[in-house]
Amino acid sequence: MRFILLGAPGSGKGTQAKSLGEHYNLERISLGDILRQEVKNESELGRKVKTYMEKGLLVPDEIISLVVAKHIHSDDFILDGYPRNLAQAKELDVILGKKKISLDFAVYLEVNEETMLKRLSGRRVCPHCDANYHIENMPPQKEGVCDLCGCKLLLRRDDKPEVIRKRWEVFVSENMPLRGYYKEKQKLIVIDANGEASEVLQNITDKLNGKQ
Ligand code: AP5
């Protein structure tokens, strides 16, 4: 099975991709995580993408398509955070076409603006091991400290209020058209993702199991 997770910043793509990867034993390819790792490593790619990410803008398509093609290793996977616009969706069709495969589903995690704001402003990340927390919904055992490695938790650089606003604007203008694109291809599955993570996961697996 291969599918993509679409949705606004904070809709839970990363959280659900992780659980779904374990549930279905699928490779998880998270564009945001890959790019953040490159920035952390101060690689050539990391230097190229850093400013776009810090401003909440999309990294140029030509850079992204090279990264994606390099990371799709098997025929079964979950793509989290790609595609984000129509050009990337068409490019993905080309990448998969070369492998003589196509997407099974596009799972769209729908959240309202209030949920998005609450989740992003409360998210805390570990700069050392990249573990992800939320101050209310998924708090660490000791406030401000990573359960896994004991490092001090931080606000993600693009979770500052002004950058969150920009990311939401970019999502509305660039990402929204993808719903129509995948609906037309009869691959779209829309999930109400405002609820608890376990509830959202159950809804996704129910829908996917029903369609297989
Ligand atoms: P990326 O990291 O993908 O950012 P994003 O799309 O803005 O998504 P987020 O990671 O903020 O949120 P999410 O939906 O994964 O939610 P999460 O599970 O973390 O990309 C970062 C940047 O990289 C982009 O801005 C861009 O610059 C660049 N980039 C990436 N892909 C690109 C592409 N294809 N093209 C061009 N540029 C690209 O959850 C958020 C918080 O909420 C967490 O604290 C979590 O614990 C909590 N939470 C999650 N689900 C629930 C729930 N159900 N209930 C309560 N809390 C929850």
Side-chain angles (χ1 to χ4, degrees), residues 18-133:
K18 216 168 173 193
S19 303
L20 289 162
E22 285 163 14
H23 185 88
Y24 291 110
N25 194 22
L26 291 173
E27 183 185 6
R28 174 177 68 97
I29 306 166
S30 161
L31 260 289
D33 287 353
I34 292 169
L35 297 176
R36 268 186 295 280
Q37 192 58 49
E38 295 287 343
V39 172
K40 200 168 159 184
N41 295 345
E42 298 182 359
S43 68
E44 195 187 335
L45 172 62
R47 283 194 291 276
K48 279 188 195 157
V49 303
K50 188 171 186 248
T51 324
Y52 296 101
M53 295 178 76
E54 286 183 352
K55 288 184 180 163
L57 301 171
L58 291 186
V59 172
D61 294 343
E62 57 276 17
I63 298 181
I64 292 293
S65 58
L66 291 176
V67 175
V68 172
K70 196 174 135 195
H71 282 85
I72 297 184
H73 302 301
S74 69
D75 286 355
D76 295 298
F77 53 79
I78 304 171
L79 265 173
D80 153 22
Y82 178 88
R84 291 200 191 222
N85 59 28
L86 278 178
Q88 291 185 6
K90 289 177 184 166
E91 177 65 22
L92 177 61
D93 291 343
V94 172
I95 294 171
L96 299 186
K98 284 183 188 157
K99 291 166 81 64
K100 302 203 186 326
I101 54 176
S102 63
L103 276 185
D104 294 314
F105 310 111
V107 178
Y108 189 99
L109 302 180
E110 194 164 51
V111 287
N112 55 45
E113 206 171 338
E114 196 192 331
T115 301
M116 184 260 322
L117 274 174
K118 257 191 177 167
R119 287 191 189 162
L120 296 187
S121 55
R123 170 165 52 193
R124 296 293 180 274
V125 293
C126 174
H128 179 64
C129 71
D130 301 320
N132 211 321
Y133 300 88

Side-chain angles (χ1 to χ4, degrees), residues 187-203:
K187 293 184 193 273
L188 184 71
I189 295 175
V190 180
I191 301 284
D192 178 352
N194 291 291
E196 279 183 23
S198 56
E199 225 175 87
V200 176
L201 178 65
Q202 187 66 52
N203 286 342

